[in-house]
Amino acid sequence: MTLWYVGVLTVVLAVYLVVVYIFQYGLLTSQIYHDEIQDVETVEGLLYFDDHGALQLRQDYYSHPQSHLLVDRLMEIHDLAGNVLYRSDTLGAMVLGGTQKDDEGSSSFNERMVHLADGTHVLMISHRHPVEGRMLLIRLGYGLTPLAVRMQHFLLSLLLALPLALIVAGFAGYQIARRALAPLDSMAARAEQITASNLHGRLEIEDEDDELGRMARVLNSLLSRLERSFAQLQRFTADAAHELKTPLASIRAVGESVLHDGESRGAYREAISSMLEETARLNQTVEGLLLISSAEAGEITLQVATFPLREVVAGIIALLDVVMEEKHIRLVQQNELVAESLVVADRILLRTCILNVLHNALKFSPANSSVILTYDRIERSGRGFIRLSIQDHGPGISEQDRQRVFERFFRVREVRELAVQGAGLGLAIAKLAIESNGGDIYFEPNHANGSLCHIEVPAYEHANF
């Protein structure tokens, strides 16, 4: 990074030197031009013709020899016919400016670059001025050799200062960069120490308001999510192993018992029937896990359709009719007209959701009780929903368990004590199924008698479909 910084700084300084050099050259050239104009105006006041008609320049105007106007000036004065009337000693025999142009110096002070016979570059000013009734052309020039020498010295000074400036700037940039990136090195070292066994570790934040602080907060948030996901995965693996281990152990125990005791044909049939029942439970658990895995991976393709909610509920009631008859449970439906309303959902997933919730309600309800299905139309976030509420008279759900009932393999303690069969996947599957359809499921808090579960399904609306 420091090398990049020095490289960029070198380019910037090089451009800066070129600009400064050009600006300085232009400034000095402009100053010479204005000095020449002043000298021409001074010369115009000093010219006169002597008694022999020769053009002369008064020499009594200066008090010191070094103040003499033409000490280092180059001057030549012509008449309009092109005859040279005066030439400064600094020119010697050399000609200043060559052939006279028709309009040279007629309107203002003409400026141009000329070359003397000895190769000297001269910035020359031309101007016409009348002297004692005769129009004369005054040419006055400055040799640019001193300017060139001065500019060379100036450029040499800049070039000598450039490496020194780069060394100082590079050292300062390296120190600043090292100090600025020190927290980043510390964060990188800390991040390397965080592994799967210590995901609780977090990056230290020195200043939450600077860029590194914001990046550290983002990384810490990422670590928090990873820690929760990892813990959830570990818990899921342990729960899945436990749920699969129990029926497998049961199957093994039944098989070993029958083989060891040498039971009759009827005993074999009973053992095989028990093993098939446990196998069915295993198959149901595996299917539930596959459905959850597919939903969380986004691999479920929704077949969204419009249909009355009552059609789905009626099919589920017919399927669970045997369970209701066995436990003598009465099913009561309220606001059935609302059930005729159309909903927009994947029929299979919606059926899975309602079937799991209603089957749980029947499973945990005591015999000779009732389960109440209530239909309502509600508005939430400006969108219409058909809400199906399922109320049972079972053991209910405590406040601390109300949110966890949708976790995989979670079973309420009272349910475990009742020894009701189930893998604890039904509500987790129901939640994924209804949320995949844009709906929601939740239990009514503080419901005193049994449990009350609400399932909200998006309603069909012409304007939004």
Side-chain angles (χ1 to χ4, degrees):
M1 179 178 288
T2 302
L3 293 178
W4 275 101
Y5 167 74
V6 172
V8 173
L9 183 62
T10 302
V11 174
V12 173
L13 287 179
V15 173
Y16 174 76
L17 294 183
V18 172
V19 172
V20 169
Y21 182 84
I22 295 175
F23 176 78
Q24 184 68 13
Y25 181 81
L27 182 65
L28 293 177
T29 305
S30 176
Q31 183 62 44
I32 291 174
Y33 171 74
H34 287 91
D35 289 346
E36 286 185 290
I37 292 177
Q38 291 180 357
D39 288 346
V40 169
E41 291 175 343
T42 302
V43 166
E44 290 172 353
L46 298 176
L47 291 174
Y48 68 98
F49 288 98
D50 60 12
D51 296 337
H52 303 286
L55 183 65
Q56 300 294 335
L57 183 68
R58 291 175 52 191
Q59 302 293 331
D60 57 350
Y61 62 91
Y62 58 89
S63 57
H64 300 286
Q66 60 270 25
S67 302
H68 195 290
L69 178 64
L70 298 180
V71 168
D72 56 354
R73 274 60 165 178
L74 306 170
M75 187 171 69
E76 200 173 68
I77 301 175
H78 300 228
D79 59 16
L80 296 186
N83 300 314
V84 178
L85 304 181
Y86 182 89
R87 176 173 291 156
S88 65
D89 296 336
T90 52
L91 283 173
M94 295 184 294
V95 177
L96 179 63
T99 305
Q100 185 181 139
K101 298 180 180 179
D102 294 339
D103 58 346
E104 181 178 349
S106 59
S107 59
S108 179
F109 296 91
N110 295 138
E111 171 195 5
R112 62 188 172 111
M113 296 289 295
V114 298
H115 297 263
L116 298 181
D118 60 357
T120 303
H121 291 75
V122 176
L123 177 60
M124 188 187 74
I125 295 293
S126 301
H127 188 246
R128 292 186 183 185
H129 180 73
V131 177
E132 297 178 6
R134 297 178 59 181
M135 185 61 72
L136 304 179
L137 175 63
I138 303 172
R139 287 176 172 176
L140 189 144
Y142 280 13
L144 296 181
T145 301
L147 175 62
V149 173
R150 180 181 297 182
M151 292 306 299
Q152 288 175 1
H153 291 168
F154 178 67
L155 179 61
L156 181 61
S157 300
L158 292 178
L159 293 177
L160 290 177
L162 179 62
L164 180 61
L166 289 176
I167 292 174
V168 174
F171 179 77
Y174 172 75
Q175 294 296 333
I176 294 173
R178 191 178 68 170
R179 185 171 182 178
L181 296 178
L184 186 60
D185 292 337
S186 176
M187 291 167 56
R190 177 59 179 159
E192 289 178 350
Q193 297 174 356
I194 299 176
T195 62
S197 59
N198 63 342
L199 278 176
H200 57 277
R202 296 292 182 270
L203 303 180
E204 295 183 359
I205 302 176
E206 295 184 358
D207 186 353
E208 295 186 352
D209 297 326
D210 63 10
E211 291 78 3
L212 293 179
R214 288 195 291 273
M215 185 180 71
R217 286 205 312 273
V218 172
L219 292 177
N220 283 339
S221 177
L222 173 63
L223 288 173
S224 298
R225 294 195 299 272
L226 288 176
E227 184 182 14
R228 287 194 297 271
S229 300
F230 198 73
Q232 187 178 11
L233 180 61
Q234 287 180 321
R235 187 170 61 250
F236 171 76
T237 303
D239 292 341
H242 177 74
E243 292 298 328
L244 295 177
K245 181 179 178 181
T246 301
L248 286 174
S250 177
I251 293 173
R252 181 185 180 91
V254 172
E256 289 177 346
S257 175
V258 172
L259 290 176
H260 181 268
D261 298 337
E263 298 288 351
S264 62
R265 183 183 181 86
Y268 280 120
R269 291 180 61 85
E270 184 179 353
I272 292 174
S273 176
S274 177
M275 294 168 70
L276 290 175
E277 184 178 350
E278 292 296 336
T279 303
R281 286 184 55 197
L282 277 174
N283 187 57
Q284 185 179 5
T285 301
V286 171
E287 287 181 351
L289 291 175
L290 289 176
L291 179 61
I292 292 174
S293 176
S294 299
E296 290 181 339
E299 297 176 350
I300 293 181
T301 303
L302 297 179
Q303 302 294 330
V304 179
T306 303
F307 51 87
L309 179 61
R310 186 179 182 81
E311 286 184 4
V312 177
V313 176
I316 295 172
I317 293 175
L319 181 66
L320 299 176
D321 186 61
V322 177
V323 179
M324 289 185 287
E325 286 185 359
E326 287 179 351
K327 300 184 70 173
H328 303 287
I329 294 176
R330 188 168 62 94
L331 188 66
V332 179
Q333 297 192 64
Q334 297 177 344
N335 298 337
E336 293 186 71
L337 288 178
V338 179
E340 300 295 341
S341 301
L342 299 178
V343 295
V344 182
D346 183 296
R347 187 189 294 267
I348 296 177
L349 289 179
L350 179 60
R351 179 181 180 278
T352 301
C353 173
I354 298 175
L355 175 62
N356 285 340
V357 176
L358 185 55
H359 185 252
N360 275 351
L362 297 175
K363 189 165 56 177
F364 300 130
S365 292
N368 301 312
S369 63
S370 61
V371 173
I372 302 173
L373 272 61
T374 305
Y375 305 93
D376 294 297
R377 183 179 181 86
I378 64 171
E379 295 286 336
R380 178 161 55 85
S381 301
R383 188 178 179 188
F385 290 85
I386 303 301
R387 185 173 67 185
L388 171 61
S389 303
I390 302 176
Q391 178 183 356
D392 62 48
H393 294 84
I397 302 174
S398 63
E399 180 68 19
Q400 62 270 22
D401 292 337
R402 199 173 62 252
Q403 292 300 326
R404 295 196 62 193
V405 292
F406 295 107
E407 296 180 5
R408 286 161 289 193
F409 299 114
F410 179 80
R411 301 179 67 189
V412 178
R413 177 181 300 177
E414 290 78 3
V415 173
R416 293 181 184 273
E417 292 174 352
L418 291 174
V420 178
Q421 291 186 346
L425 293 175
L427 290 180
I429 294 174
K431 185 175 181 63
L432 283 174
I434 193 63
E435 288 183 348
S436 297
N437 281 298
D440 195 11
I441 181 173
Y442 56 95
F443 281 90
E444 184 72 23
N446 304 320
H447 188 68
N449 187 12
S451 62
L452 176 59
C453 181
H454 298 297
I455 301 174
E456 297 176 357
V457 190
Y460 172 72
E461 296 172 311
H462 295 277
N464 298 327
F465 187 73

